[in-house]
């Protein structure tokens, strides 16, 4: 199976990079399943139902979230009816929405998408290792699902790498999100799970994390309240990871970075052309 | 000028990757100056004088540090006499050692190396923006130095990107260290400063941050005290950034990742061969 | 019922304050149940089986713990057989020991003692509100137990006050521990639960949190590694809360601070003499 | 000299407790100098010029601040002309206002009031020990000032106790603020400095830190965005510390808690009546 996971979409530049590039890429590479993290899609803070629709229309199969999941309050409502939208499974029980969803691909394969949030340097929620363990147990790779994908939205590289090893052999792919910077440590782990510490973001990289750079810099220097953070407005770039899985086992056979657009070292998977 | 900055050396695998590869690379590319972060060189925790000597002998011109600077207590002593060893300038005044040093290259150029530590998610020390500002003011690029290099040892990508923009046009190169994962966001910023959020580490990448992966994973799962963290013992890889500067201005003209060894997507600068 | 809860015992001065004063107080006030937090009893770090025995011999009925629960490794073993020793219920499932225990008093009353750890500014574990809710549901006040006591070991006053309100009417007593400073906000909440944000410690108050003050102060000033933290060695004081409950409802009718020994404003409950 | 320092004023209940009680207390005890922390005076968030005027009119001589100093933006402006308003000296240089001020009492004594913020579990600013040292050196007790008062606005009890010992013998009084819970550890330290870890707040104690308790509790349970935090609206109580100093040395001779109003164990200094 051919999978693509794109990092946190930030504001209009991120959305335009997705809607501009994704339809062509999906077609060119005959992708089976495309996932994206959408927690910053609405101006940097959360996501709306209209934006979800735009992303689905551009070729996205499922959207994951993170600490900004509910910054737009409407997400607390429409997430109940939108089963392709997943919020971290580590939220308290009773939180609207779901922590995992099953995508059925055009060719009939079942892809389990799990979302969890880290606890190091983040607001503490439920244990991500426990919640991911439960999701993997409910729907084991090769039995309940043809592919299993985990978006681990976390800050600390130690916790992310630990999650990769924890899932190795039991998931097709573990991606880190949240730092908005693509890492160059993607690989297939010994047990067959593709892994990257962070996908990076889809957005304007001439920025601080996709937001206009003046106000963040001012805050570091001055420590007094100032203006609101706003998404940067330059052209956005795509960042993500392309993964091929073995249809028999669901495990990854190879993976490669996708980095496409201004201010990023370009990278395209070369194994599908 | 041709510069190479290598990320945090972790334990024996990291040191052997440096001593094994660096002499050849230095020669092959006719490097003018090589810097490395050495805060984890001694088994993951700090650095000893003997290890410093080995790194210098392998072709390193200066060594920077971070939060683990003084894990080996002897560093509190020998740093006073070893002017090529730099600890973060953000330590309190009175701390042994120095926060910046000047390297004179074989061809007679002066390279200022500055080290600072971030404050987001780290033990709070002095303001890194203030301390870096002072170092840049003391020795301006093009006047006091032919190249200026800042190692910003920090956790949060926001703080690192802010530091990059803060120095843009005033430094040849700003590198992030500390997360032990190489990022793929290196570029020359608009003002002429080469930047990367994190160099990654020189060490065994089949690990958690260069340390054997069992104990870190156990700690995430069990939260009870266990055994000590020990450096992983597989073959190490090198990770760093290669930068070319303009001799007239000291600003960067191009940069590229170096990733060499097991478990990392390979990358070599192509502009010097 | 007459209850006394004493704060974190720190080192020898704390233990001697307990063994010196508690037998007399227990007798003088005809106490039904005495609980103490023992996480720092062994030189500031954890607890041993021998120390547990000494505390029980001095008139303690149950011992709670906190983030230092297992600093002495032997506690991972003997906690399994010592049912009067309770560690936070927020540890991952599978952790040795228990998060709640039932004390039977000499007069045949059943006292449920629950221990939980906060998550603000502490290593993240399970949600304390969820774990306490479960304990209260398993053994409701007035049905399963004649008194219910919660030790909420937490840093942030917001989280502690929230826990007090959360339990109000369902517990006899909610005490905060961990900061080692007694607070003067004890009261019976509207629903009948006695509450104090922090009991303070049993230990030498001419110190930093019960530890000799030179090294903590040096660390704040110098940020370099130094000597080990050691418990201060002056005479210890007792700090805790005395509570009377209604035998019919198990709810608190009145409460008062106990502060006895050097360096603390003295306070003794006046309603039992 | 007779000094009174009152803790963080929270919203209308806090202000009314001050304006209702302070004029009578000032008169009854012939207070020489009254200081109050005003960082939460405006509905819990910051302070306005009008509120400052009300507090001064009620008998306050100087107002200190903290992390909420500039939540009301107008404070960035009027603090420049209001020399009786002090913000933490640990803000970056260039921040509007001042970190210390001199109060001249009716009887002609000079009282230096210094404000600093801690760094443990708080947004990192300059080193409080360094900034307080500078203030003490600029204006030594007994030479530059007849009394020296330090408001250390901090979260961690370790940092607060360390600051107390750091200033012992060099200040008349060190008070902690920020946690909004009064501590019962006030005393005169060996060198003659009166100390309390936290004054508590002036506000409605049937609350979470002075704010209505439903929303904070909901946030702990649900982790989703909800309504704004609003100051609780019940009757407020006063909390603070009364200190007497020796006119010859400026050091403290005795101190006692002031706790006056609903939901707090009552406490009044007995040495002035
Ligand atoms: Fe994000
Ligand atoms: Fe995020
Ligand atoms: Fe490191
Ligand atoms: Fe580090
Ligand atoms: Fe403790
Ligand atoms: Fe503790
Ligand atoms: Fe406050
Ligand atoms: Fe505060």
């Amino acid at each position: 199976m051919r999978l693509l996971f794109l990092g946190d979409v930030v504001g209009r530049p991120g959305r335009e990079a997705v809607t501009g590039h994704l339809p062509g890429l999906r077609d060119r590479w005959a992708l089976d399943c495309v996932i994206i993290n959408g927690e910053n899609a609405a101006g940097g803070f959360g996501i709306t139902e209209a934006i979800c629709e735009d992303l689905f229309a551009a070729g996205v199969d499922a959207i994951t979230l993170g600490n900004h999941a509910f910054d737009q309050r409407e997400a607390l409502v429409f997430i109940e009816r939108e089963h392709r939208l997943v919020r971290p499974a580590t939220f308290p029980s009773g939180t609207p929405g779901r922590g995992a969803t099953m995508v059925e691909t055009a060719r009939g394969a079942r892809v389990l998408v799990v979302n969890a949030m880290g606890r190091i340097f983040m607001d503490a929620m439920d244990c991500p290792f426990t919640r991911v363990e439960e999701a993997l147990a409910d729907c084991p790779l090769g039995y309940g699902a043809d592919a299993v994908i985990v978006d681990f939205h976390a800050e600390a590289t130690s916790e992310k790498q630990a999650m990769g090893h924890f899932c190795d052999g039991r998931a097709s792919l573990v991606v880190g999100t949240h730092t908005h910077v693509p890492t160059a440590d993607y690989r297939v782990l010994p047990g067959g799970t593709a892994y990257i510490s962070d996908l990076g973001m889809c957005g304007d990289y001439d920025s601080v994390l996709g937001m206009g750079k003046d106000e963040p810099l001012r805050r570091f220097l001055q420590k007094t309240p100032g203006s609101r953070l706003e998404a940067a407005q330059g052209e956005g770039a795509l960042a993500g990871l392309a993964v091929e899985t073995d249809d028999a086992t669901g495990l990854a056979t190879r993976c490669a970075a996708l980095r496409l657009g201004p201010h990023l070292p370009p990278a395209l998977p070369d194994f599908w052309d």
Side-chain angles (χ1 to χ4, degrees), chain A residues 83-160:
Chain A
H83 67 99
R84 295 169 291 180
L85 182 59
V86 189
R87 46 83 183 156
T90 44
F91 269 99
S93 72
T95 301
R98 66 211 63 72
T101 197
M102 189 69 87
V103 172
E104 187 161 338
T105 71
R107 295 192 296 138
R110 297 153 306 154
V111 178
L112 180 71
V113 178
V114 183
N115 192 191
M117 231 164 86
R119 301 200 288 189
I120 310 293
F121 311 136
M122 303 192 86
D123 185 26
M125 302 212 293
D126 287 351
C127 174
F129 296 91
T130 302
R131 291 287 166 271
V132 167
E133 178 74 46
E134 290 164 358
L136 298 179
D138 285 354
C139 185
L141 181 63
Y143 302 89
D146 301 299
V148 171
I149 300 177
V150 177
D151 172 1
F152 188 37
H153 195 78
E155 176 74 36
T157 46
S158 58
E159 199 176 14
K160 286 163 148 176

Side-chain angles (χ1 to χ4, degrees), chain A residues 24-192:
Chain A
L25 294 176
R26 177 152 196 150
D27 195 51
R28 166 176 164 192
W29 291 329
L31 296 172
D32 291 289
C33 187
V34 176
I35 320 287
I36 196 167
N37 185 299
E39 69 148 8
N40 309 107
F45 300 97
I47 195 164
T48 64
E49 190 163 20
I51 290 175
C52 282
E53 289 309 320
D54 289 348
L55 295 173
F56 293 136
V60 166
D61 293 298
I63 300 171
T64 55
L65 295 166
N67 52 312
H68 290 290
F70 299 114
D71 285 1
Q72 303 295 323
R73 301 287 185 82
E74 62 172 278
L76 286 163
V77 177
F78 77 79
I79 198 173
E80 289 286 7
R81 60 177 176 264
E82 178 50 80
H83 67 99
R84 295 169 291 180
L85 182 59
V86 189
R87 46 83 183 156
T90 44
F91 269 99
S93 72
T95 301
R98 66 211 63 72
T101 197
M102 189 69 87
V103 172
E104 187 161 338
T105 71
R107 295 192 296 138
R110 297 153 306 154
V111 178
L112 180 71
V113 178
V114 183
N115 192 191
M117 231 164 86
R119 301 200 288 189
I120 310 293
F121 311 136
M122 303 192 86
D123 185 26
M125 302 212 293
D126 287 351
C127 174
F129 296 91
T130 302
R131 291 287 166 271
V132 167
E133 178 74 46
E134 290 164 358
L136 298 179
D138 285 354
C139 185
L141 181 63
Y143 302 89
D146 301 299
V148 171
I149 300 177
V150 177
D151 172 1
F152 188 37
H153 195 78
E155 176 74 36
T157 46
S158 58
E159 199 176 14
K160 286 163 148 176
Q161 292 184 354
M163 181 61 81
H165 296 304
F166 180 71
C167 296
D168 189 21
R170 304 192 289 165
S172 312
L173 170 61
V174 173
V175 301
T177 55
H178 179 65
T179 72
H180 292 204
V181 174
T183 59
D185 64 340
Y186 49 89
R187 63 168 172 139
V188 179
L189 297 174

Side-chain angles (χ1 to χ4, degrees), chain A residues 164-262:
Chain A
H165 296 304
F166 180 71
C167 296
D168 189 21
R170 304 192 289 165
S172 312
L173 170 61
V174 173
V175 301
T177 55
H178 179 65
T179 72
H180 292 204
V181 174
T183 59
D185 64 340
Y186 49 89
R187 63 168 172 139
V188 179
L189 297 174
T193 297
Y195 171 80
I196 186 171
S197 288
D198 209 287
L199 294 171
M201 67 164 177
C202 298
D204 176 6
Y205 276 82
D206 190 25
S207 67
V208 172
L209 310 188
M211 311 307 281
K213 56 194 167 192
D214 291 346
E215 176 61 13
L217 185 47
R218 195 201 60 75
R219 291 185 187 184
F220 280 115
L221 298 174
Q222 295 185 17
K223 302 280 184 181
T224 44
S227 43
R228 293 182 43 196
L229 294 176
E230 311 240 359
Q233 292 304 327
E235 188 186 341
L238 284 192
L241 192 74
V243 180
E244 186 163 276
T245 62
D246 181 301
D247 286 347
T249 63
L251 292 168
T253 52
R254 49 193 181 180
C255 63
L258 168 67
R259 296 189 300 266
L260 182 58

